[in-house]
Amino acid sequence: MDRHEEMTQRIARLEDRLGRLEDIEEIQRLQRMYGYYIDNRLWPEMAALFADEGAAMEIGRRGRYTGKEHILPFLREVLGQGRDGLARNEFINHMQLQGVVTVDHSRQRAQGRWRALIQGSPPPGGTAMLWAEGVYENTYVRENGVWKIALLWWVPTFYVSHPGYESVSFASGPQSDSLPPQAPSVPPVAALGRSFPPFHYCHPVTGEEVVRVTSEP
């Protein structure tokens, strides 16, 4: 093998390695955005993350829903109980940890494993917070050059209700009188009853800005 051929092969290996690292980063961003969307009950935005062909979703023992035309109704009607966005004083924290992403040799499909730790306020009229934990084992596919979710499969380890929701506060300590700030805090969103930092990024598939996270129009 001459030096030119050796360098050509080395460049090809480095390009493939860089491409795989870029794939992993894109898939990690995709999954993290999914977590923030489910936090805020953004069902259409979540459904848009799935592949147009052959997508499927299975959450716990609720069965597997296949096709985007069935995934969005499942999200909205089953998980969301017919409601988009958050109600006043409602919160959900969907923390995705220990992510491991493996891209196959074709760089057209990948697998991802994540551990989800979930906190949620009680349903209307309830007083107990929800705690849950479980594992995602997901499949991703590159569709028209964009990574999307082909299969989202979450297996819960546990669900538990915890009393004491009345003690939850949506604010930190008050403004200091002895060392006042140079400007006041950003005011809370009235429909949420708490502050909400807007998303700085657009949807990774649609490219649209996500601006509304409340149930109120």
Side-chain angles (χ1 to χ4, degrees):
M1 181 186 300
D2 61 27
R3 182 167 178 78
H4 179 267
E5 185 178 357
E6 181 181 354
M7 290 300 294
T8 299
Q9 291 184 5
R10 182 180 181 187
I11 290 171
R13 288 194 300 269
L14 290 173
E15 287 179 341
D16 181 71
R17 181 179 179 186
L18 176 60
R20 290 178 184 278
L21 291 173
E22 290 175 340
D23 292 339
I24 290 171
E25 175 63 24
E26 189 174 339
I27 291 167
Q28 288 175 337
R29 283 176 57 84
L30 172 69
Q31 188 67 37
R32 290 164 183 159
M33 290 182 191
Y34 159 88
Y36 283 112
Y37 292 159
I38 195 173
D39 278 355
N40 296 286
R41 302 165 60 93
L42 297 172
W43 312 129
E45 289 79 2
M46 285 178 62
L49 299 175
F50 284 79
D52 294 331
E53 299 293 333
M57 184 176 198
E58 182 177 334
I59 299 291
R61 303 297 298 172
R62 296 179 176 91
R64 182 165 294 192
Y65 290 78
T66 59
K68 291 176 74 170
E69 72 276 15
H70 296 122
I71 288 173
L72 179 55
F74 164 72
L75 292 171
R76 177 175 282 144
E77 303 303 327
V78 179
L79 290 188
Q81 298 295 301
R83 175 167 57 87
D84 286 64
L86 296 171
R88 183 176 176 82
N89 294 332
E90 181 179 23
F91 70 87
I92 305 169
N93 295 324
H94 197 94
M95 293 165 280
Q96 299 175 103
L97 313 169
Q98 298 178 320
V100 178
V101 176
T102 304
V103 181
D104 78 359
H105 68 280
S106 70
R107 292 186 52 208
Q108 298 302 307
R109 293 181 69 83
Q111 301 290 129
R113 191 175 185 90
W114 311 81
R115 184 173 298 281
L117 181 61
I118 302 160
Q119 304 165 324
S121 56
T127 59
M129 290 178 59
L130 167 70
W131 289 78
E133 192 273 344
V135 172
Y136 284 105
E137 183 63 43
N138 297 342
T139 302
Y140 309 91
V141 62
R142 192 199 301 272
E143 197 173 66
N144 298 320
V146 178
W147 282 106
K148 300 180 183 180
I149 300 170
L151 168 64
L152 189 128
W153 179 29
W154 185 66
V155 179
T157 306
F158 68 82
Y159 284 92
V160 63
S161 295
H162 190 277
Y165 175 71
E166 295 86 348
S167 64
V168 172
S169 172
F170 294 101
S172 63
Q175 179 176 303
S176 173
D177 292 328
S178 60
L179 189 65
Q182 285 67 58
S185 297
V186 176
V189 179
L192 288 179
R194 58 183 172 86
S195 298
F196 180 83
F199 298 108
H200 72 270
Y201 49 82
C202 293
H203 193 282
V205 174
T206 67
E208 296 179 357
E209 186 179 5
V210 179
V211 296
R212 190 173 74 86
V213 297
T214 71
S215 297
E216 297 183 11

